[in-house]
Amino acid sequence: MAQSEGTFVSQETGWQRRVPQVSLAEVHRSIVVPRQAAFWRKMIAFSGPGFLVAVGYMDPGNWATDLAGGAKFGYTLLSIVAISNFMAILLQHFCIKLGVVTGRDLAQACRDHYSTPTIWFLWILCEIAISACDLAEVVGSAIALQLLFGIPLVWGCCITAVDVLAVLYLQNKGFRYIEALVITLIATIASCFAAELIFSRPSLTGIALGFIPHAKVVTNPQMLYVSIGIIGATVMPHNLYLHSSIVQTRRFERTTEGKREAIKFATIDSTGALMFALFINAAILVLAAAVFHWSGHQDVAEIQDAYKLLSPLLGVGFASVLFAVALLASGQNSTLTGTLAGQIVMEGFLNIRIKPWLRRLITRGLAIVPAIVVIGIFGEAKTTELLVASQVVLSMQLGFAIWPLLRFTDEKAKMGEFANGFWLRPFGWLTAGIIILLNVTLLFDMFMPEALLRSFYHAVGLSAPA
């Protein structure tokens, strides 16, 4: 099979059809990896995609779930934040392997493997997940604009559509510019929360104990609901499609050794970025626990309430401003990855290419309309509930993205010698099993008739959800 310097040719063994065109063609293999270079030079060349993926783990949806978890339950749900982060590290490693070895992103792999009805089903689910994620970005950015500049939420939601221009400009400049902006915004968020933690002086002992898993997380329905929201906010289905594509922006050697090296460096990149995201995620929950849980404000779950209370409770005048600045940076950062994920999913599943600005407007419209409707009908007080609900919706889609990812990377016919080893497979399927089990439990609690629900929980010796 012929291969030119700028053209990617993937491994075709085990697939039903060849890839008709590469993923994200405008930036595919656009960043050269030096063949003969020191470890750190190669590490720098591969660094970047992990931070784009990490953005999804610190978007405004995380804020709502982490604020609710910290204010209501103290440091207890830190264990869920940590567990979900380690799940994310493992799953993103599988995405890297799929993209590097096969030259397919997850959407293309699904299209090459499954029947047409299954492809459409998976595509619809993925679009719902992206819309839910984009909804969180829209609402989060609108809340930040309101807190900082007094702009009404409805208008703030509309203003967020303007980010289409920024995304288009950066895509035309080059992929490294997108990565640089993302890293800058992440650094802004981290700096704001580092300062907030210094002001709040949380209990180090409480934090350490919070990272120890507790059985009551599963037995307490309220904790379980927030926990699933945290998992949904951390392990995002669209990130699995995104990472398997953007890892192919690097022009590495297509030899066995080159692929192995690419997997190693890309995994280091994503693991480091996700550990950075763990700090930010945990910092939001720790801040809520330290400031609200033990000060008589356990019911604080609204981002707006947290903003109003931070400065008075901490005694620092600009604490609330730092909080809002970090929220705005978080919302705007997430729009970049949402754009790319939407393009990858549509192109990969349906082999349809539309202009990025049109794709972004469609996605933004699907997020803006529900946000405006909810705000218009129920008022601004329901925005945080909307954020939490969006993360639960995301969690519901996870199983349908994780299952094909694990199946493909387990198969030697598709992955060759890079197929998941016997020691890695159990961890992958255990992760999938935990996520699916938690989702089934949540669905059971939400949709079962109250009488049957109470009877069931009484039979197993647990308290029924409120």
Side-chain angles (χ1 to χ4, degrees):
M1 215 178 296
Q3 175 178 337
S4 64
E5 181 65 20
T7 303
F8 172 77
V9 178
S10 67
Q11 176 177 326
E12 299 298 335
T13 306
W15 300 98
Q16 294 184 12
R17 58 180 71 91
R18 297 180 60 177
V19 180
Q21 46 195 342
V22 296
S23 180
L24 292 180
E26 62 272 21
V27 293
H28 182 77
R29 291 175 64 78
S30 61
I31 300 174
V32 178
V33 176
R35 297 186 179 184
Q36 303 296 329
F39 175 90
W40 289 110
R41 268 197 73 189
K42 288 193 175 184
M43 187 67 254
I44 292 172
F46 277 101
S47 296
F51 286 94
L52 267 71
V53 172
V55 164
Y57 303 127
M58 58 185 83
D59 78 341
N62 294 61
W63 292 53
T65 53
D66 289 338
L67 280 174
K72 195 166 188 177
F73 307 114
Y75 303 117
T76 304
L77 296 186
L78 279 173
S79 60
I80 300 299
V81 174
I83 290 171
S84 61
N85 198 79
F86 292 133
M87 287 179 176
I89 289 173
L90 179 62
L91 294 174
Q92 299 304 156
H93 172 68
F94 292 148
C95 293
I96 290 169
K97 291 178 67 176
L98 180 67
V100 168
V101 175
T102 72
R104 291 166 167 82
D105 58 57
L106 182 56
Q108 290 173 327
C110 289
R111 184 174 182 273
D112 288 348
H113 181 86
Y114 292 114
S115 64
T116 300
T118 303
I119 291 169
W120 279 88
F121 174 72
L122 291 175
W123 172 69
I124 291 171
L125 287 180
C126 193
E127 290 290 356
I128 292 173
I130 291 175
S131 296
C133 178
D134 215 39
L135 176 62
E137 298 161 10
V138 166
V139 174
S141 297
I143 291 173
L145 290 172
Q146 182 187 57
L147 297 178
L148 289 171
F149 307 111
I151 299 173
L153 282 182
V154 172
W155 285 108
C157 289
C158 296
I159 289 173
T160 60
V162 181
D163 66 16
V164 176
L165 300 176
V167 174
L168 283 174
Y169 176 76
L170 290 171
Q171 276 189 318
N172 291 332
K173 293 284 289 183
F175 202 72
R176 275 297 201 189
Y177 285 90
I178 292 180
E179 293 174 347
L181 177 59
V182 164
I183 292 173
T184 300
L185 290 173
I186 289 176
T188 301
I189 299 168
S191 300
C192 290
F193 274 106
E196 299 280 25
L197 290 180
I198 293 173
F199 300 150
S200 63
R201 292 175 292 181
S203 166
L204 297 181
T205 302
I207 293 173
L209 293 175
F211 280 108
I212 300 174
H214 296 272
K216 59 184 177 180
V217 171
V218 178
T219 59
N220 185 320
Q222 284 73 38
M223 275 193 185
L224 180 63
Y225 179 82
V226 177
S227 297
I228 293 176
I230 290 174
I231 292 175
T234 304
V235 186
M236 288 192 168
H238 75 277
N239 262 347
L240 305 181
Y241 297 93
L242 173 69
H243 204 180
S244 57
S245 175
I246 61 176
V247 74
Q248 299 177 51
T249 58
R250 269 52 182 176
R251 187 184 299 176
F252 52 87
E253 293 186 64
R254 298 302 307 165
T255 62
T256 298
E257 186 56 38
K259 292 177 182 178
R260 184 173 289 110
E261 184 179 70
I263 292 171
K264 178 183 73 173
F265 282 109
T267 300
I268 294 173
D269 168 51
S270 67
T271 301
L274 289 175
M275 291 305 294
F276 203 80
L278 172 61
F279 162 75
I280 294 175
N281 241 350
I284 299 171
L285 191 145
V286 168
L287 178 66
V291 178
F292 305 130
H293 183 68
W294 286 281
S295 63
H297 299 87
Q298 289 90 348
D299 292 332
V300 170
E302 301 286 338
I303 291 177
Q304 295 93 326
D305 292 340
Y307 170 85
K308 294 173 184 176
L309 290 171
L310 271 175
S311 286
L313 291 176
L314 291 176
V316 179
F318 58 90
S320 293
V321 174
L322 287 177
F323 182 81
V325 168
L327 177 61
L328 182 60
S330 173
Q332 291 306 298
N333 219 355
S334 300
T335 63
L336 298 172
T337 57
T339 300
L340 294 173
Q343 182 179 344
I344 291 162
V345 165
M346 178 169 285
E347 292 178 358
F349 275 115
L350 305 183
N351 195 27
I352 295 175
R353 290 180 180 267
I354 63 175
K355 294 183 182 298
W357 66 266
L358 180 58
R359 166 70 215 189
R360 190 55 184 169
L361 284 177
I362 293 172
T363 305
R364 243 341 180 212
L366 292 174
I368 289 173
V369 172
I372 291 176
V373 169
V374 171
I375 293 169
I377 296 175
F378 299 104
E380 298 183 353
K382 294 294 182 180
T383 51
T384 299
E385 292 182 24
L386 191 62
L387 285 177
V388 175
S390 73
Q391 302 312 298
V392 175
V393 170
L394 281 173
S395 187
M396 294 300 173
Q397 316 301 320
L398 275 174
F400 296 99
I402 295 174
W403 187 278
L405 175 64
L406 292 177
R407 178 174 179 175
F408 298 152
T409 54
D410 278 354
E411 289 187 27
K412 280 190 173 293
K414 290 180 170 61
M415 300 291 292
E417 64 183 272
F418 293 97
N420 297 331
F422 71 94
W423 61 273
L424 198 57
R425 292 182 188 180
F427 287 106
W429 288 107
L430 177 63
T431 297
I434 291 173
I435 291 172
I436 292 171
L437 178 62
L438 288 176
N439 289 339
V440 170
T441 302
L442 179 63
L443 286 173
F444 181 80
D445 289 346
M446 290 177 67
F447 297 111
M448 280 292 289
E450 184 177 353
L452 290 177
L453 194 63
R454 292 187 181 279
S455 298
F456 172 80
Y457 275 97
H458 178 73
V460 297
L462 299 175
S463 58

